[in-house]
Amino acid sequence: MEPEQSYRQVASATRRIRSLAPTDIPDILSIELTGYSHPWSEAIFRDCFRPDYRLWGLADGDGLQGYAVVAYLFDEAHLLNLCVGARWRGSGAGRLLLRHLIRESFREHMQRVLLEVRRSNAIAIDLYKTEGFVQIGERPGYYPASPVREDALVLALEGPEAG
């Protein structure tokens, strides 16, 4: 499925993006456990509910389908975690969340959106690059993995006022 086609499907569905609250943590954790070999703990998510972070969830009548966690530091938005529940992967849900967090970050005067992604995560890398992100670096051994740690690619998207 082409990226634009999947985005149109999501945009026309009954889904909506909303700010998350600590009461969403059980749903966030159930998605997190399906998405990562080394998932974040409840304590890490609880620590993200503070003024310099933004947490958004993609929801519909069935509950939370995915979420994004972004930290704001000075004029930079750092995407820390974006995950979609297994049932909704490939539906464009991740793209919808990504576009939302980009739009909101630039609306809140961030000059750049930055993220790390596992070198082996070709699907996520493709998503980010089709949305305009470019590789600006690497972080060797950044991610836990077995038997050795995995490198991260550092990607960035410059805002309309950057430069």
Side-chain angles (χ1 to χ4, degrees):
M1 179 178 307
E2 292 297 313
E4 286 302 316
Q5 290 176 319
S6 63
Y7 177 69
R8 280 195 295 275
Q9 278 184 322
V10 172
S12 66
T14 59
R15 300 172 181 175
R16 65 182 176 88
I17 294 178
R18 63 175 174 80
S19 292
L20 295 174
T23 55
D24 291 305
I25 288 177
D27 291 334
I28 293 168
L29 286 172
S30 70
I31 294 169
E32 178 80 0
L33 293 171
T34 70
Y36 299 111
S37 60
H38 295 80
W40 283 10
S41 68
E42 180 177 343
I44 291 172
F45 281 107
R46 286 202 182 284
D47 189 50
C48 292
F49 288 96
R50 53 190 193 185
D52 56 337
Y53 277 55
R54 304 295 182 270
L55 288 85
W56 291 291
L58 179 63
D60 74 359
D62 292 334
L64 197 62
Q65 296 180 357
Y67 59 86
V69 179
V70 180
Y72 284 9
L73 182 62
F74 301 109
D75 63 351
E76 193 169 83
H78 190 162
L79 174 57
L80 301 174
N81 194 334
L82 188 144
C83 191
V84 172
R87 198 169 126 201
W88 297 282
R89 289 185 196 135
S91 73
R95 185 174 305 277
L96 186 60
L97 277 164
L98 181 63
R99 288 182 176 177
H100 178 82
L101 74 89
I102 291 168
R103 185 174 50 253
E104 287 300 304
S105 296
F106 293 152
R107 187 183 65 76
E108 292 190 59
H109 309 290
M110 298 293 110
Q111 298 299 306
R112 168 196 273 192
V113 178
L114 180 77
L115 62 90
E116 291 86 13
V117 60
R118 284 181 186 271
R119 180 182 297 281
S120 65
N121 192 343
I123 292 171
I125 292 167
D126 183 59
L127 168 64
Y128 298 133
K129 288 190 173 181
T130 61
E131 292 300 322
F133 284 80
V134 295
Q135 183 176 340
I136 61 168
E138 296 182 20
R139 299 193 198 281
Y142 185 78
Y143 286 106
S146 185
V148 296
R149 296 181 68 86
E150 185 175 351
D151 296 346
L153 303 181
V154 182
L155 306 180
L157 177 67
E158 299 296 326
E161 298 174 17

